[in-house]
Amino acid sequence: MPEAADARRLMRVFAKLIGRHIEREQLLETLRREHDSYRAFALTDPLTLIPNRRAMVSELNRALANAERRGEVLHLAFIDLDGFKQINDAYGHDAGDRFLIAIAEKLQNALRGGDFVARIGGDEFVVFGPCSSGTPDAGRAAMRERLSEVTSGTFDLGVAGLDYAGPSIGAVNSSPGERDCAAVLARADEAMYAIKRSRNRRRVVNG
């Protein structure tokens, strides 16, 4: 049947509306993908590709809230890479970056179900997770020992092999019902520095 002029004009209008709707949906999908990408980037350390400090604070707050509801405690370890500046000075920043990436991979491989790892500073990492032992102190000690084992040994820096004695690791338990993220981190940081001072004293005594 022959199309009337009004019908053709109406079809052209509908075609334009449908085209604009499709373009709008495509634009929204592109914006959603970019938003997700930017959000992931904002929560990821660009060198090691593990979570950063911002992501760690958010996840630790959530984990503490869950632990409070369940009547549980968390183990948290603060890790400082002793001698990292000397590694950079001796082998260069590229080698230092390779070392940081290797440490991050070692820590990730040592995680258990429910554990979380983040790089929160230049040579500082945090690992935390739920207590999996009937004795929180024993579980904390086991966590610290596991992390110490995986972060010591020989590392390939590209330009040389490094025999690394391991970082200083301070590990603490959250208190029952504790929700203060900053307080838990501060205690772990203090425990880490106590380990560091003890290791430095041993080096002085041993010459």
Side-chain angles (χ1 to χ4, degrees):
M1 295 178 60
E3 297 178 356
D6 289 345
R8 286 197 297 271
R9 284 195 296 270
L10 187 59
M11 290 178 66
R12 284 197 294 269
V13 170
F14 281 146
K16 288 180 181 179
L17 290 174
I18 292 171
R20 289 174 182 171
H21 178 73
I22 292 173
E23 289 176 356
R24 177 177 175 274
E25 289 299 313
Q26 290 174 339
L27 176 60
L28 288 174
E29 180 60 28
T30 299
L31 291 174
R32 279 193 289 268
R33 287 197 301 267
E34 290 181 353
H35 172 75
D36 291 343
S37 177
Y38 288 139
R39 185 173 181 273
F41 180 77
L43 298 175
T44 302
D45 174 58
L47 176 65
T48 62
L49 301 181
I50 65 173
N52 60 15
R53 175 183 283 273
R54 181 179 178 186
M56 183 274 296
V57 170
S58 176
E59 185 65 17
L60 181 55
N61 279 320
R62 187 192 66 79
L64 287 170
N66 288 340
E68 180 189 31
R69 285 194 296 271
R70 297 169 182 165
E72 300 173 348
V73 299
L74 297 179
H75 302 316
L76 186 142
F78 198 109
I79 303 166
D80 183 88
L81 302 181
D82 294 339
F84 180 67
K85 182 179 183 302
Q86 288 76 12
I87 294 172
N88 270 336
D89 292 343
Y91 302 106
H93 289 282
D94 287 344
D97 287 348
R98 289 174 67 99
F99 180 59
L100 290 170
I101 293 169
I103 288 289
E105 291 175 351
K106 294 278 191 180
L107 292 173
Q108 283 183 301
N109 292 335
L111 298 183
R112 302 163 307 169
D115 286 352
F116 187 88
V117 60
R119 181 189 177 202
I120 65 167
D123 59 351
E124 295 176 335
F125 295 80
V126 163
V127 175
F128 62 84
C131 175
S132 60
S133 169
T135 308
D137 288 344
R140 182 191 71 239
M143 177 191 197
R144 184 179 178 278
E145 182 177 354
R146 183 174 73 255
L147 297 177
S148 295
E149 288 178 355
V150 300
T151 52
S152 59
T154 302
F155 291 84
D156 179 11
L157 303 184
V159 295
L162 173 69
D163 292 324
Y164 189 60
S168 292
I169 303 176
V172 299
N173 295 332
S174 66
S175 302
E178 184 170 22
R179 296 285 295 271
D180 190 340
C181 169
V184 179
L185 287 169
R187 292 204 310 275
D189 184 50
E190 183 178 349
M192 180 274 293
Y193 273 107
I195 296 293
K196 187 182 290 290
R197 288 191 294 268
S198 175
R199 297 179 80 184
N200 288 339
R201 284 196 295 269
R202 286 200 298 270
R203 291 191 189 101
V204 171
V205 171
N206 295 330

